[in-house]
């Protein structure tokens, strides 16, 4: 760890302080770190003057950062060190045309021309549609058949392409090709006026509006030297937890619907709306858009909003408990949930799964306790009882997190005295030549933003990572040797973000 | 079984009686904005400058609801002097131009094409296509199938196949990577068919306007019949627009 700089979540670092290692040292340090139970938070490329650079943000019990200069290629760590690198290296190849030599499965992540105007690593000129010059992975043999689904799915859901290689009903391999949702957000964020940043970040993934925008606003606060009042910070925690509860409840309802047990599907569907309405009480938008702004929150929580939220929680908590009991004690549900789509702990570690997908496998990592920001520093963490890595565990973890989040909101309401101001978006002078890394536990898991400023305080590189970036591979592995008819159930147990991944 | 019955009693019937009875949304909800045309030009200019969506025209004193994300900053900054957001969620429009407004919107029922009412008034089947939507529009469209809104009681359903559909309901700024899939879905819908643009992304690109990775304006590639503004549109905004336009 001697070569890496230890940092804290949301702290401004002068770029000069980031250790700049020789490429071999950098790769060796990353390899050693990841092999010793370390994980990757961010690993990305950027242009600096005439050269390419790589920057890594790593975590074990602490956060670390290091950088290096790189040419047109570098030896792939996916091949030599860990699968944790595979998606990051593919992204580097796609975004900057830098080839990870020896990468075992180098294919596009989102399908777009690189930012550097360099020759395309994948041999695409982007005149043809996604997936361009790429043949999907196939399993050969007479009894094998292929099922292709998407990008347009049979429901009100985002687009993505799924290829199943099956022998009868059994899925031997699932390949997930995303990129259909790509809007070029990272590039936009370096070009647009600052006033657009929170609005864009709230749209990275609409179901994680607060999670992503909180990361953005904390980054601006670190770079502009803004302080957040205690009361405003409490409102942020309440918003983030309401977002978590709404999504978890919605997914438990959808899981119930997927196993054709309709009562909880209807009840949870309605109750999810109650929590979206509480976000609307807080900020006027059912997804928390417009709530968080640099320096605090745009809407104060007055006595009226405080009262409405508290009253609704008292009313709805017993209903949630009862419907959860109905769902989890039904034998027909248990028969479908148990041992479906399992991911063993060792594999979860190897893939670096985060959020409830990781916790359901026995990886307790939670940003709220590992690298807490806002009022989470004073709040208790959660533990999970069922961690077998199957659909049942992912559902059980959601149930436990709903109850935990309800208790966190209750604590915040108890402490909140209503003495904070509302803030509006302004133009801020950002510290020049700086780096800031922010992490928050969005409802799906670790959301992270990383901002590099140039010598005039302009944003030179804005890197975003949604937890889905790690977890889509988990879903693919869940389907191995499962029946194809269990795909909807497995998929919903993860409920990953297409647009959060595609950016 | 006993638990099912017990929960059924506890849950009761939750379906809303809208549109027979009006619904009042909470005071913080930002619906149809009402512009004060007598406002000081300097205040209007200030609102236009801070607007992240460039939705405000300070000369004409209008807001473009096709661009606006209803973040409400212009109301807060001007202390309501330039604009106030009402709780009126009835925002659907048949013409793009009508969305550029000082607060008045034409009656959607009058604007609707008569043959649409005849064709789809009793049964409307829609294929939803998310074309780079952030999942907020999608989620609040899905909500229409929950017991509170219960969309199917009006004879309106979202269907799996475009072959079974009377039209498409599009969300998102239409990424370049989704353009072909969207057009193919449209072609697969038998004529006569309708196109609904839902959310400011599909109308103008929304928060992502200017990105080279998106088309930005659905109407530039498909003929849009109905616009539903919002970021995302409130489920009641969508419900109102569908009922007024087709019923």
């Amino acid at each position: 760890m001697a070569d890496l700089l230890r940092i804290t979540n949301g702290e401004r670092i002068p770029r000069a302080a980031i250790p700049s290692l020789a490429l071999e040292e950098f790769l060796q340090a990353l390899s050693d770190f990841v092999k010793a139970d370390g994980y990757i938070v961010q690993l990305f490329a950027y242009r600096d003057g005439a050269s390419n650079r790589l920057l890594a943000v790593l975590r074990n019990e602490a956060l670390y950062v290091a950088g290096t200069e790189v040419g047109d290629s570098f030896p792939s760590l996916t091949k030599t060190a860990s699968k944790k690198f595979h998606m990051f290296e593919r992204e580097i190849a796609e975004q900057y045309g830098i080839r990870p030599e020896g990468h075992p499965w180098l294919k596009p992540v989102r399908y777009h021309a690189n930012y550097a105007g360099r020759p395309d690593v994948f041999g695409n000129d982007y005149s043809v549609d996604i997936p361009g010059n790429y043949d999907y992975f196939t399993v050969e043999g007479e009894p094998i058949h292929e099922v292709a689904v998407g990008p347009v799915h049979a429901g009100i859901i985002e687009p993505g392409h799924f290829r199943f290689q099956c022998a009868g009903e059994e899925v031997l391999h699932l390949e997930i090709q995303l990129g259909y949702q790509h809007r070029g957000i990272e590039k936009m964020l370096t070009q647009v006026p600052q006033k657009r940043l929170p609005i864009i970040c709230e749209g990275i993934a609409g179901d994680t509006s607060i999670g992503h925008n909180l990361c953005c606003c904390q980054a601006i606060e670190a770079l502009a030297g803004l302080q957040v009042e205690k009361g405003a910070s409490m409102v942020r925690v309440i918003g983030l937890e309401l977002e978590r509860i709404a999504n978890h409840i919605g997914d438990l309802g959808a899981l119930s619907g997927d196993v054709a047990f309709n009562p909880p599907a209807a009840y949870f569907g309605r109750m999810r709306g109650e929590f979206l309405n509480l976000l609307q009480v807080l900020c006027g938008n059912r997804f928390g858009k417009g709530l968080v702004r640099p320096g605090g929150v745009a809407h104060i929580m007055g006595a009226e909003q405080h009262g409405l939220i508290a009253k609704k929680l008292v009313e709805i908590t017993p209903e949630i408990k009862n419907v959860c009991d109905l769902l989890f004690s039904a034998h027909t549900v248990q028969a479908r949930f148990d041992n479906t789509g399992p991911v063993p702990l060792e594999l979860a570690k190897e893939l670096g799964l985060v959020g409830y997908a990781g916790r359901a496998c026995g990886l307790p990592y939670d940003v709220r306790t590992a690298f807490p920001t806002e009022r989470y520093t004073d709040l208790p963490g959660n533990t999970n009882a069922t961690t077998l890595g199957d659909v049942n565990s992912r559902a059980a973890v959601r149930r436990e997190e709903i109850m935990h989040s309800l208790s966190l909101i209750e604590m915040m309401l108890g402490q909140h005295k209503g003495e904070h101001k509302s803030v509006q978006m302004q133009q801020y002078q950002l510290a020049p030549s700086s780096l800031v890394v922010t992490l928050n536990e969005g409802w799906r898991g670790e959301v992270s933003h990383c901002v590099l400023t140039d010598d005039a305080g302009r944003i030179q590189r804005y890197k975003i990572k949604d937890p889905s970036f790690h977890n889509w591979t988990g879903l693919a592995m869940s389907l191995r040797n499962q029946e194809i008819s269990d795909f909807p159930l497995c998929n919903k147990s993860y409920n990953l973000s297409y647009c959060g991944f595609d950016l | 079984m006993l638990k099912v019955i017990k929960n059924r009693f506890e849950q009761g019937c939750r379906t809303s009686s809208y549109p027979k009875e009006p619904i009042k949304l909470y005071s913080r909800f930002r619906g149809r904005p009402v512009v004060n045309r007598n406002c000081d030009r300097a205040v209007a200019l200030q609102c236009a400058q801070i607007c992240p969506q460039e939705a405000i025209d300070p000369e004409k004193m209008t807001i473009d609801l096709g661009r606006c994300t209803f973040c409400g900053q212009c109301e807060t900054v001007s202390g309501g002097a330039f604009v106030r957001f009402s709780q009126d969620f009835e925002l659907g429009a048949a013409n793009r131009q009508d969305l550029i407004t000082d607060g008045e919107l034409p009656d959607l029922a009058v604007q609707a094409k008569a043959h649409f009412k005849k064709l789809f008034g009793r049964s409307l089947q829609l294929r939803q296509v998310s074309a780079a939507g952030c999942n907020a529009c999608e989620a609040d469209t899905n909500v229409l199938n929950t017991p509170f809104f219960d969309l199917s009681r009006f004879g309106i359903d979202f269907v799996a196949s475009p072959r079974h559909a009377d039209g498409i309901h599009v969300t998102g700024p239409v990424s370049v990577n989704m353009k072909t899939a969207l057009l193919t879905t449209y072609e697969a819908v038998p004529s006569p068919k309708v196109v609904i643009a839902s959310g400011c992304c599909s109308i103008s690109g929304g928060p992502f306007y200017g990105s080279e990775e998106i088309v930005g304006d659905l109407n530039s590639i498909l003929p849009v019949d109905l616009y539903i503004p919002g970021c995302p549109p409130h489920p009641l905004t969508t419900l109102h627009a569908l009922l007024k336009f087709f019923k």
Side-chain angles (χ1 to χ4, degrees), chain A residues 11 24 41 43 46 88 112 208 257 303 360 376 399 431 435 445 452 457 477 479 492:
Chain A
E11 171 194 24
E24 295 73 29
V41 178
L43 173 59
Y46 61 98
F88 291 102
H112 62 81
T208 316
Y376 288 111
R399 178 192 194 177
L435 163 74
L452 279 167
M477 295 314 293
L479 257 289
K492 194 47 87 173

Side-chain angles (χ1 to χ4, degrees), chain A residues 244-362:
Chain A
R244 188 182 325 277
I245 296 171
N247 282 295
H248 281 345
I249 286 186
D251 283 356
L252 287 182
L255 281 168
S256 188
D258 276 344
V259 298
F261 188 41
N262 286 331
Y267 305 152
F268 278 134
R270 196 264 309 165
M271 282 194 255
R272 171 175 169 277
E274 303 275 11
F275 285 93
L276 296 181
N277 286 341
L278 288 183
L279 281 171
Q280 182 172 290
V281 163
L282 211 47
C283 69
N285 181 291
R286 282 162 49 94
F287 293 83
K289 294 188 179 194
L291 176 64
V292 182
R293 288 293 179 267
V297 288
H299 303 273
I300 63 162
M301 184 171 70
E304 184 179 307
Q305 292 78 29
H306 187 286
L308 284 169
I309 294 171
K311 185 166 162 252
K312 180 54 78 181
L313 292 190
V314 169
E315 176 196 315
I316 207 168
T317 303
E319 287 183 35
I320 295 172
K321 282 183 184 159
N322 290 344
V323 181
C324 277
D325 180 47
L326 175 65
L327 175 67
F328 283 90
S329 65
H331 297 146
T332 49
V333 172
Q334 277 303 314
R336 291 293 309 280
F337 280 15
D338 265 345
N339 207 27
T340 301
V343 173
L345 175 60
E346 277 312 306
L347 181 59
K349 274 189 188 173
E350 181 64 12
L351 297 175
L353 299 190
V354 296
Y356 52 75
R359 290 193 282 277
C361 299

Side-chain angles (χ1 to χ4, degrees), chain A residues 34-168:
Chain A
V34 163
K35 282 179 180 166
D37 261 352
Y39 293 88
I40 308 163
V41 178
Q42 304 261 22
L43 173 59
F44 61 90
Y46 61 98
R47 293 284 292 171
D48 199 28
S51 63
N52 296 322
R53 296 193 63 87
L54 298 179
L55 191 89
V57 181
L58 306 167
R59 68 169 167 94
N60 44 32
E61 286 72 39
L63 283 172
Y64 300 89
V65 64
T68 188
E69 188 176 334
V70 65
D72 298 342
S73 68
F74 63 96
S76 164
L77 290 172
T78 311
K79 185 183 177 190
T80 55
S82 165
K83 296 185 183 73
K84 286 173 194 151
F85 290 99
H86 85 113
M87 202 60 97
F88 291 102
E89 290 186 339
R90 283 169 49 195
E91 189 184 48
I92 290 167
E94 181 164 272
Q95 292 189 327
Y96 285 88
I98 304 164
R99 180 184 290 274
E101 293 292 352
H103 190 291
W105 198 7
L106 191 59
K107 59 175 232 168
V109 180
R110 308 184 177 101
Y111 195 67
H112 62 81
N114 67 57
Y115 302 159
R118 299 161 57 81
D120 193 79
V121 168
F122 313 100
N124 284 314
D125 65 1
Y126 301 92
S127 61
V128 295
D129 273 337
I130 184 171
N133 178 28
Y134 172 71
D135 295 319
Y136 290 98
F137 179 84
T138 51
V139 178
E140 290 182 352
E142 202 169 334
I144 305 297
H145 71 277
E146 186 180 75
V147 180
V149 181
V152 181
H153 299 287
I156 306 178
I157 179 175
E158 297 175 69
H161 185 72
F162 299 83
R163 283 273 171 124
F164 300 88
Q165 307 293 322
C166 304

Side-chain angles (χ1 to χ4, degrees), chain A residues 129 153 180-181 206 270 282, chain B residues 11 26 28 127 132 134 175 180:
Chain A
D129 273 337
H153 299 287
Y180 296 90
Q181 296 277 68
R270 196 264 309 165
L282 211 47
Chain B
Q11 293 288 327
Y26 185 62
R28 282 198 176 175
R127 169 69 255 207
C134 79
S175 53
T180 303

Side-chain angles (χ1 to χ4, degrees), chain A residues 110-113 115 129-130 151-159 179-185 187-188 191-193 195-196 199-200 202-207 209 261 263 265-267 269-274 276-277 280-287 289-290 293 298-302 304-305 308 315 318-320 322-323 325-326 329 422 424-426 444 495 497 499, chain B residues 1-12 14 25-30 48-54 69-74 76-77 127-143 145-149 158-162 169 171 173-182 185 206-214 231-235:
Chain A
R110 308 184 177 101
Y111 195 67
H112 62 81
Y115 302 159
D129 273 337
I130 184 171
V152 181
H153 299 287
I156 306 178
I157 179 175
E158 297 175 69
Y180 296 90
Q181 296 277 68
H182 182 59
R183 295 151 291 173
I185 292 180
K187 199 173 169 186
M188 275 185 87
Q191 296 166 345
V192 300
K195 65 180 180 179
R196 291 182 63 185
I199 301 277
I200 293 173
E202 284 170 343
I204 292 170
D207 50 28
S209 291
F261 188 41
Y267 305 152
R270 196 264 309 165
M271 282 194 255
R272 171 175 169 277
E274 303 275 11
L276 296 181
N277 286 341
Q280 182 172 290
V281 163
L282 211 47
C283 69
N285 181 291
R286 282 162 49 94
F287 293 83
K289 294 188 179 194
R293 288 293 179 267
H299 303 273
I300 63 162
M301 184 171 70
E304 184 179 307
Q305 292 78 29
L308 284 169
E315 176 196 315
E319 287 183 35
I320 295 172
N322 290 344
V323 181
D325 180 47
L326 175 65
S329 65
S422 72
Q424 294 299 322
M425 187 63 198
Q426 297 166 32
R444 283 194 187 88
N495 193 10
S497 180
C499 54
Chain B
M1 191 62 206
L2 283 175
K3 279 182 189 168
V4 172
I5 296 168
K6 184 174 161 285
N7 273 281
R8 182 69 190 79
F9 274 107
E10 185 179 79
Q11 293 288 327
R14 307 284 190 144
L25 292 177
Y26 185 62
S27 58
R28 282 198 176 175
F29 171 74
R30 290 176 295 278
Q49 279 165 349
I50 54 120
C51 178
Q53 291 300 105
E54 294 174 22
T69 63
F70 297 78
C71 75
Q73 200 180 349
C74 50
T76 314
V77 165
R127 169 69 255 207
Q128 208 283 327
V129 184
S130 167
C134 79
N135 206 22
C137 282
E138 290 77 0
D140 255 358
T141 307
N142 237 333
V143 153
N145 292 318
T146 60
F148 182 80
F149 300 99
F158 286 95
V159 294
S161 168
H169 172 277
T171 51
V174 191
S175 53
V176 171
N177 286 353
M178 259 311 277
K179 188 179 165 189
T180 303
L182 170 66
T185 307
F208 311 105
Y209 72 88
S211 168
E212 59 203 32
E213 299 287 347
I214 64 164
C231 184
H234 193 281

